[in-house]
């Protein structure tokens, strides 16, 4: 079974030796000092993978267990969740913080991301309802002063655009932020939820169909089909349980600073490296 090891600076040799002591390494491919792919002598169970991830964390390393026939050189599309994946915040929580509703809203957000609230659409409706009466200027303040790209986001998108990849932003968050990020990062496509705003204030309602987990998967699938791209040529990056359906569609799924349920099901988990660690695997 293949395992890719990633590090911010240089992979510790002691970690490679510890792996070899447990499972003989049949062959290895060094992409750079920061990325190496090894072929292990046995297939790994989910428990084995969790053990390796926990052990890798002691060395500030992150792991990917790619599907057998996945090929980075064949990738043509990458899709991102927005909040806490492409950017550093949950936008709805920051809006709530500004108007004194943080505790109520973030409690629902966290439960939804952990998968404890099964219907994302209900959790979103409940949270947005708490924001009724919020001035639109609060959204602008969040965008300008609190929202930041996560490490490596700009570098990753700039590089894959030069390779001709189709870039997609699909979010259970809001068009107010997603559309501006799409333009700022020169992405090809973005779809998210639209907050109803009347007379400069949030009404507490979402306009149109809600982009939940299943909608995310459908959007990613539609974008791939529209551009003649196979699922095995798609990378998806996300962090919450509502990202799992679109991650299941992709040839490679990466959980970025992800919730435990996402780390368990994704092909890889980035807890130490930046989003641009993917670039080391394209060399």
């Amino acid at each position: 079974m293949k395992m890719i090891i990633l590090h911010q600076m240089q992979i510790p040799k002691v970690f490679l030796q510890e792996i070899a002591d447990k499972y003989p390494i049949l062959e290895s491919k060094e992409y750079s000092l920061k990325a190496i792919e090894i072929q292990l002598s046995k297939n790994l169970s989910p428990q084995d993978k969790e053990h390796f991830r926990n052990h890798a964390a002691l060395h500030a390393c992150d792991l990917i267990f790619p599907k057998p026939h996945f090929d980075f050189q064949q990738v043509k599309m990458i899709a991102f969740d927005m909040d806490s994946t492409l950017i550093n915040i949950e936008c709805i929580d920051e809006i709530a913080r500004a108007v004194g509703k943080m505790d109520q809203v973030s409690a629902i957000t966290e439960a939804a991301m952990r998968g404890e609230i099964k219907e994302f659409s209900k959790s979103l409706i409940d949270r947005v309802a708490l924001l009724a009466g919020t001035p639109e200027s609060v959204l602008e303040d969040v965008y300008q002063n609190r929202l930041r790209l996560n490490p490596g986001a700009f570098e990753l998108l700039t590089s894959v655009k030069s390779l001709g990849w189709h870039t997609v932003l699909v979010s259970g968050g809001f068009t107010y932020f997603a559309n501006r990020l799409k333009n700022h990062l020169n992405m090809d496509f973005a779809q998210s939820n639209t907050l109803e705003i009347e007379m400069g204030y949030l009404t507490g309602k979402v306009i149109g169909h809600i982009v939940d987990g299943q909608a995310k998967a459908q959007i990613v699938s539609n974008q791939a089909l529209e551009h003649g791209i196979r699922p095995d040529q798609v990378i998806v990056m996300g962090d919450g349980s509502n990202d799992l359906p679109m991650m299941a569609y992709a040839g490679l799924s990466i959980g970025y600073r992800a919730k435990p349920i996402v780390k368990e099901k994704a092909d890889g988990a980035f807890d130490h490296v930046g989003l641009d660690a993917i670039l080391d695997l394209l060399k």
Side-chain angles (χ1 to χ4, degrees):
M1 183 172 192
K2 288 182 180 179
M3 179 168 72
I4 296 171
I5 307 168
L6 301 162
H7 194 277
Q8 283 280 43
M9 300 297 294
Q10 184 172 351
I11 295 169
K13 291 182 179 179
V14 64
F15 181 45
L16 291 173
Q17 187 57 55
E18 289 168 359
I19 295 172
D21 288 343
K22 186 172 179 62
Y23 300 116
I25 296 174
L26 301 180
E27 58 181 288
S28 64
K29 174 183 178 181
E30 187 174 290
Y31 292 95
S32 70
L33 292 176
K34 300 186 293 182
I36 188 169
E37 178 183 288
I38 59 177
Q39 179 77 40
L40 299 177
S41 60
K42 63 165 284 185
N43 288 327
L44 301 178
S45 67
Q47 293 75 22
D48 290 330
K49 292 178 182 179
E50 182 179 6
H51 168 78
F52 272 121
R53 280 194 297 267
N54 292 337
H55 198 57
L58 300 176
H59 298 276
C61 290
D62 289 325
L63 304 179
I64 300 173
F65 301 96
K67 298 177 182 70
H69 302 295
F70 180 78
D71 183 353
F72 284 97
Q73 299 304 315
Q74 296 298 313
V75 175
K76 294 184 178 180
M77 173 175 154
I78 187 166
F80 299 88
D81 168 55
M82 180 174 70
D83 294 35
S84 298
T85 300
L86 194 63
I87 62 174
N88 65 325
I89 60 171
E90 293 287 332
C91 291
I92 192 168
D93 287 357
E94 295 305 315
I95 297 168
R97 188 193 307 277
V99 295
K101 300 286 185 70
M102 177 63 176
D103 288 346
Q104 298 137 284
V105 170
S106 64
I108 301 173
T109 300
E110 284 299 310
M113 291 298 99
R114 290 192 301 265
E116 295 167 7
I117 298 177
K118 301 305 180 185
E119 293 185 15
F120 174 82
S121 57
K122 183 183 185 307
S123 77
L124 185 68
I125 289 169
D126 289 348
R127 285 176 289 168
V128 171
L130 291 168
L131 302 179
T134 298
E136 184 178 359
S137 60
V138 170
L139 278 65
E140 181 66 19
D141 178 69
V142 169
Y143 183 81
Q144 295 293 343
N145 299 314
R146 306 188 191 189
L147 185 154
R148 297 291 182 269
L149 293 175
N150 272 328
F154 183 81
E155 293 80 1
L156 174 57
L157 280 161
T158 300
S159 295
V160 300
K161 284 294 291 181
S162 70
L163 295 173
W165 290 17
H166 185 60
T167 54
V168 173
L169 177 58
V170 56
S171 172
F174 306 122
T175 54
Y176 189 96
F177 306 100
N179 290 350
R180 294 170 81 169
L181 280 170
K182 170 186 174 290
N183 294 333
H184 174 63
L185 295 168
N186 192 31
M187 298 181 75
D188 296 305
F189 180 87
Q191 189 166 338
S192 55
N193 296 302
T194 302
L195 292 169
E196 184 177 67
I197 300 173
E198 293 182 354
M199 305 293 290
Y201 293 87
L202 274 63
T203 66
K205 298 179 181 178
V206 180
I207 299 172
H209 295 293
I210 288 176
V211 178
D212 60 8
Q214 292 304 318
K216 284 186 170 189
Q218 190 62 59
I219 292 163
V220 170
S221 172
N222 290 346
Q223 283 294 300
L225 286 169
E226 184 178 326
H227 293 84
I229 298 169
R230 303 188 308 268
D232 63 285
Q233 295 174 311
V234 176
I235 295 175
V236 167
M237 307 184 83
D239 75 295
S241 61
N242 65 321
D243 297 319
L244 289 173
M246 69 173 179
M247 295 173 86
Y249 169 86
L252 184 77
S253 59
I254 301 293
Y256 182 81
R257 311 296 194 265
K259 303 296 184 290
I261 190 173
V262 177
K263 290 183 187 181
E264 176 187 335
K265 295 181 180 296
D267 298 314
F270 287 3
D271 289 324
H272 303 91
V273 299
L275 292 166
D276 58 340
I278 289 291
L279 298 177
D280 281 306
L281 306 175
L282 305 179
K283 297 175 180 178

